[in-house]
Amino acid sequence: MKEFTEEFLKNINQLVENNDREGAKTILEDLHPADVAELLQQLDTDDAEFIISLLNEDTAAEMLMELDEEDRHRLLENMPNKDIAKHVIEHLDTDDAVDLIQELDKEDQEEVLSHVDDVEQAGSIIDLLKYDEDTAGALMGKEMIVVNENWSMPECVKRMREQAEDMDEIFYVYVVDDDKKLRGILPLKKLITHPSVSKIKHVMDDSELISVKTDEPIDEVVLAFEKYDLAVMPVVDSIGRLVGRITFDDVMDEAREQTERDYQLASGLSTDIETRDNIFTQTKARLPWLLIGMIGGLANSVILGGFEAGFATNPTMALFIPLIGGTGGNVGIQSSAIVVQGLANGSLDLRHASKQLGKEMGVGIINALTISLLVFIYNCFRLEPTNVTTIAVSLSLFSVVIFASVFGTFVPLTLEKLKIDPALATGPFISISNDIIGMLIYMLVSSALLSSLG
């Protein structure tokens, strides 16, 4: 991994200022496209365009795909659509080309595709654009080696050579039948050890064939890659015809984006933002949940205002308000985080939701007993065992912990059932809800005890 020191950046800036193309080109030759992308993020647009002009087209195209969407848009917005087609799209795999084209306006998309000379590539891109964004079809590429099960070995080798000419990497050789349906994989070892076999179907391997359908949600694709430790996975249509493949690097990018989205959602951010985003963008993403939190705080003040008489009779009650609210929020976030993690990695199935609720109820009871007992012992020394606050705090904590445990489990399971991102349940939503319910429980228990004990 390349680290850009101040001296290195100063040297690059000097070369750019002096228009020293050869000197800059010599430095760039040793850099990976991802390192070039990181370098460009630290330069202004004019300097970045100068650097790009020194790269060969394959490296430049790959480098653009390593950039963040905002930086890529900054560099492409002044580039004619014809140049985007000739110097970028035609040098990308179809899956990357689709990702880039989707960032353009509808009119620009059509114009760029009209300038792509490779009719087969343009057709593949158009086909991929038809799939829903969050499905395997939108993530797949068309570059792969495909052979027919009825071909002889010599014909197979010939066809493979023809298909491999325009490919950078070959992961597997896929075997299909006359109807293009996926039948198996041809291990490259078989090409060497069985050169005279009559037909490919006699040596293909179909024992560990794992594929995914085009309409499969991307979340399921990510889980499949993790479960089976795959480097690449074939994609088939609804009747089993081979239509593409998904590589591990595409899945890693998607998994990272999902993690970032879930983390930001759990932190109370309504949209995806970066540290470089302007003040307005960041405010728009952060303000909604802050306003909801403000409403939750106002609701708490209303609840507390309704029990002013209790505070006047027993002012000590007010000292334990942060304890009740904080404990309920922490327990709820713990419970929801466990459920969200289980749903994300596939270890928790909605069919076992009742079992998870029962387990969380058991954990909640144990935690509630432990916490309420420790607080009771503490208050016995500080106050008195028969003091209303001593009893009210312990009873309230017991109830709040159990409620928060069940609520923190129930909410993400319900959101998953409704096809809503359950990560929403690990952040402010749970915290605010438990805070309000916790205060209500505390006030009701305290009032009931004050009334009964006179």
Side-chain angles (χ1 to χ4, degrees):
M1 184 176 177
K2 180 69 176 179
E3 292 185 7
F4 298 115
T5 62
E6 290 186 11
E7 183 179 354
F8 179 87
L9 293 173
K10 184 178 180 181
N11 185 27
I12 286 289
N13 287 323
Q14 190 67 41
L15 292 172
V16 173
E17 288 180 11
N18 297 333
N19 199 30
D20 187 349
R21 299 180 67 85
E22 291 302 320
K25 196 171 183 179
T26 300
I27 294 177
L28 295 173
E29 286 176 351
D30 297 329
L31 296 181
H32 187 277
D35 293 324
V36 179
E38 184 179 348
L39 172 63
L40 292 189
Q41 290 175 342
Q42 303 181 53
L43 303 175
D44 60 35
T45 303
D46 291 337
D47 292 347
E49 290 177 349
F50 175 82
I51 294 296
I52 293 175
S53 70
L54 304 177
L55 304 173
N56 65 63
E57 291 182 331
D58 288 335
T59 302
E62 187 176 347
M63 178 276 302
L64 283 171
M65 297 310 300
E66 296 289 345
L67 289 172
D68 292 333
E69 184 176 338
E70 182 179 342
D71 291 317
R72 185 163 53 248
H73 178 73
R74 175 170 61 94
L75 294 172
L76 292 177
E77 62 180 350
N78 296 323
M79 184 182 294
N81 288 330
K82 184 176 181 180
D83 290 345
I84 294 177
K86 301 294 184 184
H87 304 307
V88 182
I89 297 299
E90 292 185 1
H91 298 273
L92 292 173
D93 288 342
T94 49
D95 52 343
D96 290 330
V98 168
D99 290 340
L100 189 146
I101 287 179
Q102 285 178 328
E103 297 172 8
L104 305 176
D105 296 333
K106 188 69 175 177
E107 294 181 359
D108 291 331
Q109 290 181 12
E110 295 176 356
E111 186 177 350
V112 167
L113 288 172
S114 70
H115 289 298
V116 176
D117 289 335
D118 189 337
V119 177
E120 184 177 350
Q121 183 192 25
S124 296
I125 292 172
I126 292 173
D127 289 340
L128 294 177
L129 286 171
K130 297 176 182 177
Y131 293 105
D132 291 338
E133 184 178 355
D134 296 325
T135 62
L139 198 61
M140 71 181 182
K142 294 283 191 175
E143 292 76 16
M144 54 187 173
I145 303 294
V146 183
V147 298
N148 189 288
E149 64 178 355
N150 295 313
W151 288 351
S152 65
M153 191 63 76
E155 183 179 5
C156 174
V157 173
K158 177 185 176 182
R159 298 290 189 93
M160 287 174 57
R161 287 172 178 167
E162 294 173 354
Q163 296 179 53
E165 286 182 359
D166 298 327
M167 295 183 61
D168 296 326
E169 295 177 303
I170 299 175
F171 295 97
Y172 292 105
V173 177
Y174 297 110
V175 181
V176 299
D177 61 17
D178 293 333
D179 295 323
K180 308 297 184 183
K181 293 183 179 180
L182 181 63
R183 292 305 183 194
I185 296 172
L186 177 62
L188 296 179
K189 180 180 178 181
K190 297 291 182 66
L191 291 175
I192 302 173
T193 57
H194 297 76
S196 60
V197 69
S198 60
K199 290 186 178 181
I200 297 301
K201 62 183 177 182
H202 296 146
V203 293
M204 72 177 186
D205 184 3
D206 60 358
S207 60
E208 297 183 0
L209 183 61
I210 299 171
S211 63
V212 63
K213 291 187 176 181
T214 53
D215 59 353
E216 194 78 22
I218 289 180
D219 292 350
E220 299 298 324
V221 177
V222 173
L223 290 177
F225 267 86
E226 181 182 3
K227 180 178 180 179
Y228 298 108
D229 293 326
L230 300 173
V232 63
M233 179 186 291
V235 183
V236 298
D237 62 15
S238 58
I239 60 174
R241 292 177 299 187
L242 180 64
V243 292
R245 89 302 176 258
I246 298 175
T247 56
F248 179 74
D249 59 327
D250 295 323
V251 171
M252 284 293 293
D253 291 340
E254 185 61 34
R256 185 188 72 250
E257 291 177 7
Q258 288 182 353
T259 301
E260 290 175 354
R261 285 197 299 268
D262 288 348
Y263 180 77
Q264 292 191 342
L265 190 59
S267 301
L269 301 175
S270 58
T271 59
D272 186 20
I273 60 171
E274 301 285 347
T275 54
R276 72 188 69 171
D277 290 336
N278 59 45
I279 294 176
F280 177 75
T281 301
Q282 293 205 26
T283 302
K284 186 171 65 173
R286 296 161 66 173
L287 188 58
W289 271 114
L290 294 179
L291 293 176
I292 293 175
M294 177 198 72
I295 294 173
L298 293 176
N300 266 336
S301 67
V302 172
I303 293 172
L304 295 175
F307 294 91
E308 287 186 74
F311 289 123
T313 305
N314 191 2
T316 312
M317 287 171 51
L319 300 177
F320 296 93
I321 291 176
L323 173 65
I324 300 293
T327 302
N330 290 336
V331 171
I333 289 175
Q334 282 184 348
S335 299
S336 60
I338 291 173
V339 174
V340 171
Q341 181 182 15
L343 293 171
N345 61 30
S347 61
L348 176 59
D349 195 312
L350 281 178
R351 291 173 296 181
H352 304 141
S354 58
K355 182 179 179 181
Q356 181 64 29
L357 280 170
K359 183 187 294 184
E360 195 60 39
M361 174 68 81
V363 173
I365 291 174
I366 295 174
N367 288 336
L369 284 171
T370 303
I371 293 173
S372 58
L373 180 60
L374 289 174
V375 172
F376 180 80
I377 294 173
Y378 168 80
N379 281 334
C380 283
F381 286 102
R382 184 179 178 185
L383 305 172
E384 295 178 2
T386 57
N387 188 287
V388 171
T389 302
T390 300
I391 301 173
V393 170
S394 294
L395 286 176
S396 298
L397 274 175
F398 182 84
S399 303
V400 166
V401 170
I402 292 178
F403 170 81
S405 298
V406 175
F407 188 69
T409 303
F410 177 77
V411 170
L413 289 174
T414 302
L415 292 176
E416 178 73 9
K417 185 83 171 178
L418 298 174
K419 306 299 182 183
I420 301 174
D421 193 339
L424 178 68
T426 61
F429 180 78
I430 286 290
S431 213
I432 294 169
S433 300
N434 282 330
D435 197 23
I436 294 174
I437 299 299
M439 284 302 99
L440 190 58
I441 291 174
Y442 182 39
M443 292 299 100
L444 290 174
V445 170
S446 300
S447 297
L449 287 174
L450 283 172
S451 300
S452 62
L453 297 178

